[in-house]
Amino acid sequence: MPPVPEPPPPLLRLDDPVLDLPTALDRLDEEHFQRGLVPVELEKGVPAWLMISLPVLHRVLKDEHYFARDPRAWRDLWNGTIPDTSPLQALYPPRRNALSVDGGEHQRLRTALTGALQEVSLALLPARIREIADVVIDGFCTRGRADVVSEYASVLPLLVLCRLFGMDQPAGLRVGMAMQRLWDGEADAGHAHHQLQDLLLEHAAYRRAHPGRDITSGMVARGLDDEEIRDQLALIMAAAHDPIAHALANTLADLLQTSRMHMVGSTWLISETLNHGVWRHPPLETLVGRFPTADGLEVGGYRLARGDCLVMGFGAAQRHQLRTAPPEPSNRAYPVFGMGPHGCPQLGRDIALAIAQTGVERLQQRLPDLRLSETDTPRRASTVIAGRRALPVTFTPARPITPAAPHQEEKWNPTRPAPASVSNSRTPPPTRSVFARLARWLRSS
Ligand code: HEM
C-alpha cells in the first residue's frame, strides 16, 4: 500500500454547539457527495471521516475485513488523542455485545440474538404495543395537555422492549426508573448504571429458570450465558430506544403540522408519513463508526490510515439520495438501519417501525383532537440524532381506560443534584415522575 498522506483539514467540527449539521451538510458542494467522504473533527483535535453517500456507506459497512466495528481498533481512543475526560471515552468503552466485536465472536452473538428476536410474534405485537400505550396515555389524558416527547415517545419504546424481553410490568418499570436516573445524569448515575446491569442480569437468570416465549429466553435457548444475555439486552435498549422515540415523535409532528392527524384512521397515511419521515429525517443523523484495519486504503479519493475513525452520515446520505434519485413511495430500504454484517436485524427494523406506527395510531385514537400548542417545534441542534426536544400538545381531556390509572401529577424535586456522569442517551428524559407514577399505580391496582 502507498504511504498515507497528511489528512486534509477538517471541514466541520461535529461537537460545535451552534452547528446545524443537516443544513451544513446539505449545502456541501456536489463534489463532496461524489467523493462520499468529508474530513471532520469529532471534538477539538479528534479527526474523523464522515461518510455522506450511499456508495461509500455500502462499500465500508459491507467490508468487515478492512473496516472493523470493534472500537478497540480506533487508534485515537487509546493513544491519548482522546482524553479520559472526553465524552467519547464514556460512549465507546469496549463492550461484549454483537455491535462491538467482529469476526467469529460477532457471528456467534449475532446468530443467537437474531434467532432470539424470532420469539417476538409480529402478529401480536400491535396489540401489545396498544396495551402499553394505553397505560402511558392514561398518565396524562385527563390533563388536556402533555409533552409528547418526554411523556410518551421516550417512555413507550422502553416499556415495549422490556415486555418483549419477557419482563413483567414491575420489572420493566424498575428498568425504566434506573434508565431515567441515567438520562437525568444525576449524582447517582453510576449507581443507576450498575443497578441496570444487575436488573438485566437477574432477569436473564430468572428466564433461565422460567423460560417463556420472549427474547431473553430465546438467547438462553441459543446457548448464551447470563452475562452475555445482559450485554445483548443492554445493546438492544441502547440501539433501539432513542431512534424509535424520535421516529415516533417526528411522525406525529409531521402529521400535526400538516393538519392530517384526523386522517390517521388511514393506516396507509400513517405508514407513508412514517416512511417519508424516516427518509427525510432519519432518527440517527450520524453514528460512530468503522476503523480501517490497514494503512493506505482508498475511499472517496482519500487515503486512510489504519485506526482512523469513519462516521456513518446517514442523514446526509439519505437526503442526498432524495434530492438526486428519490426512492419509490413505499421503499423501506432505509440506510439508517445500517447494512452489511452489523446491519440492524430485519426483526429489529420491524419491531421499531411497529412501535412508532402503533404508538402514533393509538395516541390519535385515544385523543382524537390532539393539536400542537406551539406552531414552531424546533428540532434539536444535535449532530447525532434528528429529533425534537419537546412536542407540547393540547387535547380535550379524556377518561383513563386502564384501572386505577396514574393520572395524578407529581411535583418536581426542587433539590436536583448536579450531573455526575455522561448519559448515553440523546432522547430527552421522560418527565421525572412518569415511571415512578406508573410503578405506584401498579402497586395500588
Ligand atoms: C428506528 C429504530 C432503529 C434504528 C434507526 C436502528 C439502527 C441500527 C443501525 C444503524 C445499526 C448498525 C450500526 C452499525 O453498523 O454500526 C443497528 C444495529 C443493531 N440493531 Fe438496530 N436500529 C433500530 C431499532 C432496533 C431494534 C428495535 C432492535 C431490536 C429489537 C435493534 C437491534 C439491533 C442490533 C442487535 C444491532 C447490532 C447488530 C450487529 O452488530 O450484528 N435495532 N441498528
Side-chain angles (χ1 to χ4, degrees):
M1 298 266 184
V4 180
E6 277 295 299
L11 279 186
L12 299 164
R13 205 175 125 185
L14 298 194
D15 71 339
D16 179 349
V18 295
L19 173 68
D20 174 354
L21 185 64
T23 306
L25 290 173
D26 293 353
R27 284 187 186 146
L28 287 176
D29 291 342
E30 183 58 27
E31 180 215 332
H32 291 293
F33 286 98
Q34 291 309 318
R35 283 176 173 269
L37 201 63
V38 286
V40 295
E41 272 187 330
L42 292 177
E43 59 183 41
K44 190 169 166 42
V46 180
W49 302 94
L50 185 64
M51 299 183 272
I52 59 168
S53 77
L54 290 189
V56 165
L57 281 169
H58 275 278
R59 157 144 186 236
V60 170
L61 299 190
K62 289 186 173 175
D63 183 349
E64 195 187 14
H65 180 69
Y66 280 120
F67 297 97
R69 179 65 177 85
D70 188 337
R72 285 173 296 187
W74 183 1
R75 187 186 59 237
D76 293 341
L77 207 52
W78 312 109
N79 67 5
T81 303
I82 303 178
D84 288 346
T85 50
S86 161
L88 293 171
Q89 288 284 0
L91 286 176
Y92 303 104
R95 291 196 168 101
R96 295 180 324 147
N97 61 44
L99 192 55
S100 305
V101 293
D102 292 305
E105 184 61 353
H106 169 245
Q107 266 301 328
R108 183 178 74 85
L109 293 173
R110 181 174 171 106
T111 304
L113 204 156
T114 50
L117 290 179
Q118 288 170 17
E119 303 293 333
V120 175
S121 158
L122 289 179
L124 294 179
L125 188 56
R128 295 199 158 170
I129 298 168
R130 275 195 293 276
E131 208 177 287
I132 297 172
D134 279 340
V135 174
V136 182
I137 293 167
D138 280 351
F140 55 78
C141 66
T142 55
R143 218 192 296 147
R145 65 182 161 75
D147 169 25
V148 170
V149 173
S150 66
E151 294 187 82
Y152 187 62
S154 53
V155 179
L156 182 66
L158 182 69
L159 293 181
V160 173
L161 288 174
C162 286
R163 170 109 189 238
L164 300 182
F165 293 168
M167 291 180 186
D168 57 15
Q169 282 184 322
L173 289 171
R174 275 200 295 279
V175 167
M177 284 190 276
M179 287 289 282
Q180 186 174 357
R181 280 165 37 225
L182 269 178
W183 285 321
D184 284 351
E186 289 195 352
D188 70 344
H191 177 244
H193 172 75
H194 289 299
Q195 199 180 27
L196 191 60
Q197 297 277 306
D198 289 348
L199 286 169
L200 295 176
L201 193 63
E202 273 168 31
H203 176 64
Y206 177 77
R207 278 296 171 208
R208 187 173 297 281
H210 307 92
R213 273 214 69 186
D214 56 75
I215 294 174
T216 313
S217 305
M219 286 197 246
V220 171
R222 286 164 181 82
L224 298 196
D225 67 34
D226 288 354
E227 291 190 351
E228 288 172 335
I229 293 174
R230 172 197 64 195
D231 293 344
Q232 311 320 305
L233 295 180
L235 162 65
I236 294 177
M237 288 209 301
H241 174 267
D242 269 353
I244 302 176
H246 289 294
L248 194 165
N250 286 346
T251 305
L252 200 63
D254 277 356
L255 287 165
L256 292 171
Q257 275 164 344
T258 52
S259 307
R260 290 181 300 164
M261 192 64 185
H262 63 285
M263 294 160 67
V264 162
S266 149
T267 299
W268 180 85
L269 171 69
I270 184 164
S271 86
E272 276 315 300
T273 306
L274 175 63
N275 185 33
H276 180 258
V278 176
W279 272 107
R280 259 205 78 59
H281 307 291
L284 289 169
E285 178 68 26
T286 66
L287 186 66
V288 173
R290 290 294 187 277
F291 314 101
T293 56
D295 269 330
L297 294 171
E298 189 271 342
V299 180
Y302 296 113
R303 293 232 165 256
L304 310 183
R306 181 179 178 169
D308 276 359
C309 174
L310 285 97
V311 181
M312 292 157 258
F314 294 125
Q318 288 196 183
R319 287 188 302 273
H320 184 255
Q321 180 80 8
L322 283 179
R323 289 196 298 274
T324 52
E328 294 294 310
S330 294
N331 182 323
R332 280 172 174 61
Y334 317 112
V336 72
F337 283 100
M339 55 207 75
H342 285 283
C344 194
Q346 184 58 47
L347 279 161
R349 301 169 193 225
D350 294 342
I351 292 169
L353 297 176
I355 298 175
Q357 176 159 341
T358 310
V360 173
E361 277 169 357
R362 193 60 184 155
L363 194 63
Q364 194 275 339
Q365 286 162 357
R366 295 282 313 276
L367 308 171
D369 65 348
L370 201 68
R371 52 205 173 264
L372 290 174
S373 25
E374 291 162 20
T375 44
D376 192 19
T377 58
R379 293 178 176 275
R380 284 161 70 87
S382 163
T383 55
V384 180
I385 55 130
R388 287 172 171 75
R389 194 173 285 281
L391 193 63
V393 291
T394 53
F395 47 86
T396 304
R399 279 176 184 281
I401 59 172
T402 44
H407 60 274
Q408 291 292 314
E409 269 256 57
E410 270 200 301
K411 290 201 175 75
W412 274 70
N413 179 353
T415 53
R416 217 170 152 197
S421 76
V422 180
S423 159
N424 270 4
S425 175
R426 288 103 186 175
T427 312
T431 50
R432 190 174 168 76
S433 56
V434 171
F435 292 111
R437 203 166 56 202
L438 290 171
R440 249 199 332 281
W441 163 65
L442 278 168
R443 278 198 298 273
S444 67
S445 58

